[in-house]
Amino acid sequence: AQKITQTQPGMFVQEKEAVTLDCTYDTSDPSYGLFWYKQPSSGEMIFLIYQGSYDQQNATEGRYSLNFQKARKSANLVISASQLGDSAMYFCAMREPEVGGSRLTFGEGTQLTVNP
Amino acid sequence: DAGITQSPRHKVTETGTPVTLRCHQTENHRYMYWYRQDPGHGLRLIHYSYGVKDTDKGEVSDGYSVSRSKTEDFLLTLESATSSQTSVYFCAISDPVTGTDTQYFGPGTRLTVL
């Protein structure tokens, strides 16, 4: 079974509008972490935002916020006031603690296009 | 930005040849990882290291080996490259003492096996 599911292969948004990228996850571990990364066309992976399973508040980083709904096992990324530079692939990832490392499991990504 | 470099950045090789990719960090992070990225699969973990000489397998480890003889370097070796190993390879680093144990990625290596 997929541990991380991103159901939107592609999304389009107008510049200056907000957009939500969906991510659902599956784990039985009560302690886990959720991450979002951005991959522009140049190829690098850029860390955006982190949410811990025990965090009481939704994470925010500038124009990025994470809509964390634990009971629904969803961790959607919200980008406010979209900019042309936000056009990129976005990956959701989950870390499940285990001895000897902190592996990340990635979703397949959502390609976001911001239109002028 | 985390100090992570990968070499080479691009490589074309032939089936059956050995290939070694290098990841170098200047952050003194304990953990290092190798991922591969293929269309439709996101990133998948190949191997990771939790200290010098301490390594373990990831999700797609067949055909790959790794070595870590010092904190700053993590090598990924394809003993006999196959066309199915054509991919983009990313190294990442993290350290649990930082709290969130966020992984930071290198720039990637594009490998083509003909």
Side-chain angles (χ1 to χ4, degrees):
Chain A
Q2 289 273 35
K3 287 202 169 186
I4 294 285
T5 303
Q6 296 180 251
T7 57
Q8 308 152 314
M11 287 283 286
F12 295 86
V13 65
Q14 286 298 123
E15 194 177 8
K16 300 180 184 176
E17 293 186 350
V19 62
T20 298
L21 306 183
D22 294 342
C23 173
T24 58
Y25 59 92
D26 182 26
T27 180
S28 56
D29 194 325
S31 176
Y32 53 90
L34 296 157
F35 300 80
W36 278 91
Y37 288 86
K38 172 184 178 181
Q39 186 176 43
S41 58
S42 51
E44 68 269 32
M45 293 287 290
I46 302 167
F47 165 69
L48 294 178
I49 195 167
Y50 165 81
Q51 179 84 45
S53 60
Y54 294 120
D55 292 344
Q56 295 296 312
Q57 308 256 1
N58 285 345
T60 60
E61 288 285 351
R63 293 186 299 109
Y64 304 109
S65 61
L66 205 152
N67 183 2
F68 182 46
Q69 298 186 45
K70 197 169 182 177
R72 298 180 62 183
K73 293 189 175 180
S74 75
N76 299 338
L77 177 70
V78 180
I79 305 175
S80 63
S82 297
Q83 302 172 356
L84 296 178
D86 294 334
S87 293
M89 183 72 85
Y90 289 81
F91 291 97
C92 178
M94 176 172 65
R95 182 189 67 227
E96 297 168 284
E98 60 184 295
V99 174
S102 297
R103 307 178 181 205
L104 286 181
T105 302
F106 283 82
E108 294 185 5
T110 295
Q111 180 69 49
L112 175 67
T113 302
V114 181
N115 294 316
Chain B
D1 291 339
I4 314 168
T5 56
Q6 293 184 230
S7 58
R9 294 292 314 279
H10 303 271
K11 186 171 182 66
V12 179
T13 191
E14 294 189 349
T15 298
T17 60
V19 176
T20 295
L21 308 182
R22 180 182 184 236
C23 178
H24 179 77
Q25 61 145 328
T26 58
E27 305 296 320
N28 201 36
H29 279 16
R30 182 180 169 194
Y31 293 167
M32 299 184 75
Y33 310 80
W34 278 107
Y35 292 87
R36 61 178 288 174
Q37 183 178 27
D38 305 292
H41 288 281
L43 275 75
R44 292 180 292 173
L45 182 66
I46 304 171
H47 282 280
Y48 66 98
S49 168
Y50 46 97
V52 174
K53 296 193 186 334
D54 293 323
T55 64
D56 205 349
K57 296 179 180 180
E59 181 187 357
V60 290
S61 59
D62 288 348
Y64 302 94
S65 62
V66 290
S67 66
R68 191 170 178 199
S69 59
K70 45 186 177 177
T71 300
E72 57 266 36
D73 289 327
F74 192 32
L75 303 180
L76 176 71
T77 297
L78 291 65
E79 302 289 349
S80 178
T82 67
S83 58
S84 65
Q85 294 175 311
T86 292
S87 188
V88 180
Y89 291 85
F90 285 97
C91 173
I93 65 173
S94 75
D95 201 314
V97 300
T98 64
T100 63
D101 198 14
T102 296
Q103 290 188 23
Y104 295 94
F105 286 79
T109 293
R110 183 173 296 275
L111 176 67
T112 302
V113 183
L114 301 176

